[in-house]
Amino acid sequence: MPEKFDVVVIGAGPAGAAAAITTAKAGMSTLVLERGDFSGAKNMFGGLVFTKPTAEIIPEFWKTAPMERKIIEYQYWLLSKESHVQVSHRNQKFVKDFNSFTAFRARFDKWFAAQAESSGATLLTRTTATGVLKDSTGKVNGVSTDRGDINANVVITCDGANSLIAKGAGLHREWKPQDMAIAVKETYSLPKDKIEERFNIRGDEGVALMIYGGREEEYAGFVYTNKDTISFGLGAIMSDLAKTKSQNMPMQMLEWLKSHPSVQRLLDGAALREYTAHLIPEGGYNSIPPLYTDGMMVCGDAAMLVNALNWEGTNFAMFSGKFAGQTAIAAKKSGSGFSASRLAGYQAYLEDSFVLKDLKKFRDVPHFIASHKHFLTLYPELMNDLLYKFFEVDGRAKEEHLKEMKKELYSKRGRLGLIKDAIGLYRKVLS
Ligand SMILES: Cc1cc2nc3c(=O)[nH]c(=O)nc-3n(C[C@H](O)[C@H](O)[C@H](O)COP(=O)(O)OP(=O)(O)OC[C@H]3O[C@@H](n4cnc5c(N)ncnc54)[C@H](O)[C@@H]3O)c2cc1C
């Protein structure tokens, strides 16, 4: 191993692999540190990986990447106690030109890190970065690990949601509990033909389902189809969980969701294979820490680059990793070092792309949802009740049904509340 690398990347998740592929392809000596036995060994997500962002890093990735199913239908379910309202979109365009696909991180990250290696990067697994090294001016010039120190011109940290390295380097403090979701996931085995029959799909087609409502606490649930397994889980904000009693912890919420009559049918006869849990940094734009300092850049989850509204994180990780790599390449070419002013280009790349544009656009959404919890609790219930009354045939005139529906709407939220919600939603999310 060389005494000093151009770039040391910490973490071989989507952000780290993308950064390493970018710098190694440009001929920079690149070392990737990964604490797991192999890349992906300890990683989990829902989850969907998005086609176009992945193809930006590895053109024609679909020829070799370990994919489960290509998503042709996106569904949203709004639950009440024993019913659901469904909004879904299935499109032949997704069949011809897939927009996203399901994957297992243990396989996908391993494959992605192998692409970094074949681009020229060195991957060091079973190695945990414990902090950054600094020179006498305070510039980051290397990484300390449980196997010794490594010198580098620039460090790109992609160490995920806990973000210990950026925290240790003094870039930010402990994340706030209101900015972090805890997510739990179960993987169920179900024969391929059963999955296809149950979700009305065939071949390698898949369905992604997001679930809200049905209980007092706010949560977001998910069901994703894989080849012969189903990924099922939910996430909830940590500060909300802290307020609730122990019976409301994520595992109990998951048990409840599993037993909901609509959800139960999807998992009927399936065998539990695995249980995992992970943090998701969902604070959004207002909680993003400083993204660079002298000699170091922070990417992906470690920088809170997640769009919780659209369930997107891997694409933010890949693009931020790629931009950090491009910034490092430009700094090397300039020949004037890797100072913070040289690395400011990283922020500019992010601002110019969907990464910071999307997070900025929806910057008030986390706070809006936190202060309007009824959007994910009361409204799903109301929609179920209203639709039940709409479809119910009971010998009464439709006018009576409509009157009852209006009465229920106004009694549960009030006219003023409804107007305020509509304006708030428009201003914070849609305008
Ligand atoms: C339940 C759940 C569902 C999700 N669903 C989706 C989805 O459907 N679609 C989507 O796009 N996103 C989803 N996400 C978000 C997505 O998984 C993340 O945004 C994305 O993985 C971030 O990538 P990353 O490379 O920044 O971090 P990670 O994927 O967390 O990778 C960090 C890597 O760094 C390594 N590491 C950590 N610390 C050290 C250290 N000190 N030294 C060496 N190595 C270290 C880890 O082992 C890991 O390999 C979901 C997340 C969760 C938890």
Side-chain angles (χ1 to χ4, degrees), residues 91-110:
N91 199 320
Q92 275 306 109
K93 285 184 187 157
F94 294 141
V95 178
K96 290 184 204 123
D97 192 7
F98 66 108
N99 174 61
S100 65
F101 57 95
T102 47
F104 285 112
R105 296 289 302 279
R107 289 179 211 147
F108 184 81
D109 288 11
K110 196 174 177 188

Side-chain angles (χ1 to χ4, degrees), residues 225 391 395 400:
T225 54
F391 289 116
E400 269 185 64

Side-chain angles (χ1 to χ4, degrees), residues 11 14-15 34-35 43 45-48 50 105 129 158-159 183 301 313-314:
E34 169 54 49
R35 67 180 172 180
N43 300 346
F45 79 149
L48 296 186
F50 300 93
R105 296 289 302 279
C158 308
D159 57 330
D301 276 16
T314 53

Side-chain angles (χ1 to χ4, degrees), residues 119-173:
S119 304
T122 304
L123 174 67
L124 205 55
T125 55
R126 295 180 191 169
T127 309
T128 302
T130 51
V132 291
L133 307 171
K134 290 183 181 176
D135 67 14
S136 56
T137 66
K139 177 193 172 290
V140 173
N141 65 356
V143 179
S144 58
T145 80
D146 57 355
R147 293 167 70 172
D149 292 349
I150 299 159
N151 298 314
N153 286 325
V154 64
V155 172
I156 303 179
T157 189
C158 308
D159 57 330
N162 280 323
S163 188
L164 295 178
I165 299 298
K167 244 177 259 172
L171 275 183
H172 66 89
R173 291 164 193 244

